[in-house]
Amino acid sequence: MKTPQEHREAARAYVRYEKDTERRIATLTLVRPARGNATTIGMRMLYADYVHRANVDDEVKVLVIRGEGEDLGTGGDLDEHGDMYLNPKDGESFLPDLEIDPDEDVAWPPPGSYRHLHSLTDYYTRAAAGQRPLQEFKKISIVEAKGYCYGWHFYQCGDADMVIASDDALFGHPSFRYAGWGPRMWSWLETMGYRKFVEMVFTGRPFTADEMADCNFVNSVVPRADLEAEVAKYADACSRSRPLDVVVAQKTFFEAYKQYRGEYLGSLLTGWLEGMLPAMKPDRETGVDLGGDAFAGGIARTVKNNDLNYPPEWRLSRKGRAAKE
């Protein structure tokens, strides 16, 4: 089992951070296109580190988050955790996720206890865990959304100040079909509105960029070929706006509003809900039996196979959706 530092070092090839000091625009790029920019433990750690640094850095006023290649990203690298969520092997634990060295004298709560999973899901409510650092970011954040914008990458879209999307972007969370929730549900509900968000949760279907624009989740939708230029236009305009001190004051106002609306409370409540995953019993016709051997071949493969049970236009994968055509 890797140490937290080893996770970080292994991930440095997958996260690129650059600054344009003249315009005060920083760009954080996820560089793992062969895996759909799926984030590892180390990538999430580095992501949180870079957002924190940009928050302090006086040479940064705008932060752009993007993905290399076809997609913003497909979510977290679930295969990295294997079946630890429900059927951990001897010696396995989530200690590295919490930046605790496995060799330290820390005993992880045992399987079967509520704390076994909740210790992780509760930690995910914190910015340092790499799930919601944009909530504490007092500069301007812009996400360049394209292709798959699923799972963890959907969290970042929900937490950013602005989302600029290509017309082929798809938004959602595969966990709605195998677990039933995701850590940023409160933010998505606040942004998308009740009717559309519960449709996403209960059907598990992804929403297109145009649909997300209709429910005010996305600021602009453009053809893929025009996406980088559109993002650059927004970033440049934001970099030329009021002084940085004014931006930080504005962001503090917006943060106060979001906390009045219960953003962090929502994160805590979802962590509590997620911690009860092992107690959820399958229906007789449920496509994915979390308590059985469903994930024996890998959770990613299980999700793909389950996807075929839905109408083509409601499938998560591009290949599955193409079957409609």
Side-chain angles (χ1 to χ4, degrees):
M1 189 181 298
K2 293 179 183 176
T3 66
Q5 188 56 34
E6 288 171 336
H7 277 290
R8 265 193 176 82
E9 290 306 315
R12 292 197 184 280
Y14 303 133
V15 182
R16 185 170 67 241
Y17 181 77
E18 303 162 296
K19 288 195 303 183
D20 179 339
T21 56
E22 183 177 345
R23 295 192 300 154
R24 300 170 92 177
I25 298 173
T27 303
L28 200 164
T29 305
L30 303 171
V31 190
R32 204 185 180 206
R35 292 294 303 273
N37 292 323
T39 51
T40 63
I41 294 169
M43 288 172 70
R44 294 193 298 274
M45 289 175 175
L46 288 177
Y47 178 80
D49 290 346
Y50 283 127
V51 173
H52 173 63
R53 291 175 191 177
N55 195 45
V56 175
D57 193 345
D58 199 51
E59 293 181 335
V60 176
K61 186 176 183 180
V62 180
L63 176 63
V64 174
I65 295 101
R66 61 182 302 277
E68 191 88 343
E70 191 76 10
D71 308 296
L72 173 62
T74 56
D77 189 342
L78 297 179
D79 288 337
E80 184 177 49
H81 280 150
D83 204 15
M84 285 173 60
Y85 292 104
L86 295 170
N87 301 299
K89 298 180 178 65
D90 289 342
E92 287 186 333
S93 77
F94 295 109
L95 284 173
D97 291 77
L98 276 66
E99 304 217 32
I100 298 174
D101 194 310
D103 292 334
E104 294 183 46
D105 187 19
V106 176
W108 190 261
S113 69
Y114 174 64
R115 293 169 296 114
H116 172 75
L117 187 54
H118 182 255
S119 296
L120 175 69
T121 59
D122 183 64
Y123 182 71
Y124 280 171
T125 67
R126 293 156 176 75
Q131 307 291 350
R132 55 180 293 278
L134 293 182
Q135 284 294 338
E136 298 182 8
F137 188 59
K138 293 302 187 292
K139 313 285 183 68
I140 301 167
S141 59
I142 302 173
V143 167
E144 178 187 287
K146 58 185 178 182
Y148 295 137
C149 305
Y150 289 165
W152 180 91
H153 299 80
F154 189 24
Y155 308 164
Q156 309 318 308
C157 292
D159 290 347
D161 294 313
M162 284 168 266
V163 178
I164 314 303
S166 62
D167 54 7
D168 63 352
L170 293 170
F171 299 82
H173 203 317
S175 75
F176 294 148
R177 286 184 175 167
Y178 67 80
W181 44 65
R184 308 302 297 136
M185 287 177 65
W186 196 286
S187 292
W188 296 325
L189 176 59
E190 279 284 298
T191 311
M192 293 176 62
Y194 180 82
R195 297 290 184 194
K196 300 309 290 185
F197 183 58
V198 296
E199 178 184 342
M200 178 182 283
V201 171
F202 293 146
T203 67
R205 77 174 183 88
F207 278 40
T208 66
D210 285 337
E211 288 179 300
M212 295 301 269
D214 287 343
C215 58
N216 297 317
F217 188 91
V218 167
N219 296 86
S220 177
V221 179
V222 296
R224 169 69 74 103
D226 300 332
L227 180 61
E228 288 190 27
E230 185 78 351
V231 171
K233 180 180 73 176
Y234 271 80
D236 188 68
C238 291
S239 74
R240 298 174 185 276
S241 67
R242 299 298 297 143
L244 184 51
D245 278 343
V246 174
V247 170
V248 173
Q250 291 169 327
K251 283 298 294 283
T252 303
F253 170 83
F254 291 133
E255 177 67 7
Y257 168 79
K258 286 188 285 188
Q259 295 314 318
Y260 173 76
R261 299 285 293 185
E263 179 276 323
Y264 187 63
L265 171 64
S267 198
L268 286 174
L269 288 175
T270 310
W272 163 75
L273 182 64
E274 287 189 294
M276 293 191 290
L277 179 64
M280 300 296 138
K281 303 304 179 185
D283 294 332
R284 64 184 183 278
E285 296 177 355
T286 295
V288 179
D289 179 1
L290 292 176
D293 298 325
F295 296 155
I299 191 169
R301 180 178 298 178
T302 299
V303 170
K304 289 179 182 177
N305 290 340
N306 187 52
D307 203 33
L308 299 176
N309 294 320
Y310 293 87
E313 66 271 22
W314 283 8
R315 291 175 185 167
L316 294 160
S317 72
R318 281 188 287 264
K319 184 177 180 180
R321 294 169 70 86
K324 181 182 179 182
E325 302 170 6

